[in-house]
Amino acid sequence: AQTVTQSQPEMSVQEAETVTLSCTYDTSESDYYLFWYKQPPSRQMILVIRQEAYKQQNATENRFSVNFQKAAKSFSLKISDSQLGDAAMYFCAYVMEYGNKLVFGAGTILRVKS
Amino acid sequence: EPEVTQTPSHQVTQMGQEVILRCVPISNHLYFYWYRQILGQKVEFLVSFYNNEISEKSEIFDDQFSVERPDGSNFTLKIRSTKLEDSAMYFCASKPGQGAGVQETQYFGPGTRLLVL
C-alpha cells in the first residue's frame, strides 16, 4: 500500500525568508503524481503544485517549487519569499497513474513570523 | 475560474439522523470523490465515482454511506444513520479525466463541516 510521510509536524519561517517542507512516500509504482495542497484556517484544500513522476524537471509555481527525487522517493516543497498568507497546514499527497484515491500525509503546520 | 462548490458549509445533526451533503463538481469533469478529515487528523479517501457508479471505496465507506449523481450537476453523499464518530469535515473533489498531468489533478470544494451530537 502506498504511504506518504511528512516528518515535520510544524515549521516556522520569518517573513521574506525561504522554508522547505519535507515529504517522503512509498510506492512500487513507476508512474504516479505528487501534489502539495495548502489548508488555511478556513480548512479549504487548495492545490499548490503538481509533479508528474515521469518528468525529471522539478515543478515551479511562482514562489513555490519542489525538489523531486524519484529514486529517494522524496518530494519537498520550497517556499521562497514567505508571506503571512502562506501560513497554513500543508499536505503532501500521492496518486498512482489511473488511480482513484489521493493518499495524504499527516500535514505540516507552517507558521510565518512578521 | 470554475470551482467545486459544496452545501451546506456547516451541518449539525443528532445521532441516528440521516444527512445529505451536496456537491457541484466542476462542469466537464468526469471523476468525483468524497474525502473526510476528522479534526486534527489527515485527509482520508472515502469513495470515487465515475460513469454513474462507484469505482473505488475505502473501508470507511460502509453500508451507512451512499453516493449519487441525481442529475447532470450534483453529486451527493448520504450518511444514513449518523454516529458521533462521523463528525468531520467532508470534502468533495473532481478531476477532468485520467492519464496526463492536469487530468490527474483533483480539485477540492470548500468542505462541509458536520457535527453529530
Side-chain angles (χ1 to χ4, degrees):
Chain A
Q2 294 88 9
T3 59
V4 176
T5 302
Q6 293 178 250
S7 58
Q8 305 153 317
E10 198 169 316
M11 293 283 284
S12 289
V13 63
Q14 200 69 33
E15 204 175 359
E17 299 290 306
T18 295
V19 65
T20 298
L21 308 185
S22 300
C23 172
T24 58
Y25 57 94
D26 187 28
T27 183
S28 57
E29 303 291 328
S30 58
D31 294 319
Y32 50 87
Y33 300 83
L34 297 162
F35 304 87
W36 280 96
Y37 284 90
K38 170 185 177 181
Q39 188 179 48
S42 66
R43 295 187 70 188
Q44 178 153 8
M45 295 289 285
I46 302 165
L47 176 69
V48 175
I49 200 164
R50 176 187 68 245
Q51 175 77 45
E52 293 88 338
Y54 60 83
K55 287 188 177 177
Q56 291 190 336
Q57 187 172 7
N58 289 322
T60 300
E61 288 286 340
N62 301 312
R63 297 182 295 108
F64 299 87
S65 61
V66 299
N67 183 4
F68 172 50
Q69 302 288 329
K70 191 172 183 179
K73 296 181 183 173
S74 169
F75 182 60
S76 60
L77 174 70
K78 185 170 86 170
I79 306 174
S80 303
D81 185 26
S82 296
Q83 300 174 358
L84 294 176
D86 294 334
M89 176 79 97
Y90 286 81
F91 290 99
C92 178
Y94 160 100
V95 67
M96 59 187 248
E97 192 175 37
Y98 303 111
N100 284 308
K101 62 182 182 185
L102 279 168
V103 177
F104 284 85
T108 296
I109 297 172
L110 177 66
R111 303 192 193 282
V112 181
K113 302 175 187 173
S114 58
Chain B
E1 187 172 327
E3 56 185 27
V4 178
T5 60
Q6 290 185 243
T7 54
S9 58
H10 294 78
Q11 173 118 28
V12 180
T13 190
Q14 295 291 323
M15 191 170 56
Q17 294 296 302
E18 174 183 288
V19 295
I20 298 176
L21 310 184
R22 291 183 167 80
C23 169
V24 179
I26 296 172
S27 67
N28 82 351
H29 280 198
L30 302 177
Y31 294 80
F32 314 115
Y33 307 86
W34 285 101
Y35 292 82
R36 80 171 184 192
Q37 184 186 30
I38 295 171
L39 187 63
Q41 298 186 23
K42 65 170 71 174
V43 179
E44 303 172 290
F45 168 80
L46 289 177
V47 67
S48 61
F49 193 86
Y50 168 70
N51 200 25
N52 280 320
E53 60 183 25
I54 291 173
S55 45
E56 186 174 349
K57 60 183 181 179
S58 71
E59 58 274 9
I60 302 168
F61 194 88
D62 60 22
D63 292 343
Q64 298 281 40
F65 293 89
S66 62
V67 289
E68 195 177 32
R69 187 154 163 84
D71 52 44
S73 58
N74 289 283
F75 179 51
T76 62
L77 174 69
K78 182 193 292 186
I79 309 175
R80 214 175 319 277
S81 177
T82 50
K83 308 185 191 78
L84 295 176
E85 54 265 37
D86 293 329
S87 295
M89 190 77 145
Y90 288 81
F91 292 102
C92 174
S94 69
K95 74 173 185 178
Q98 272 196 332
V102 69
Q103 300 286 330
E104 287 288 355
T105 301
Q106 294 183 27
Y107 295 90
F108 282 74
T112 293
R113 202 172 296 210
L114 176 66
L115 178 61
V116 182
L117 301 175

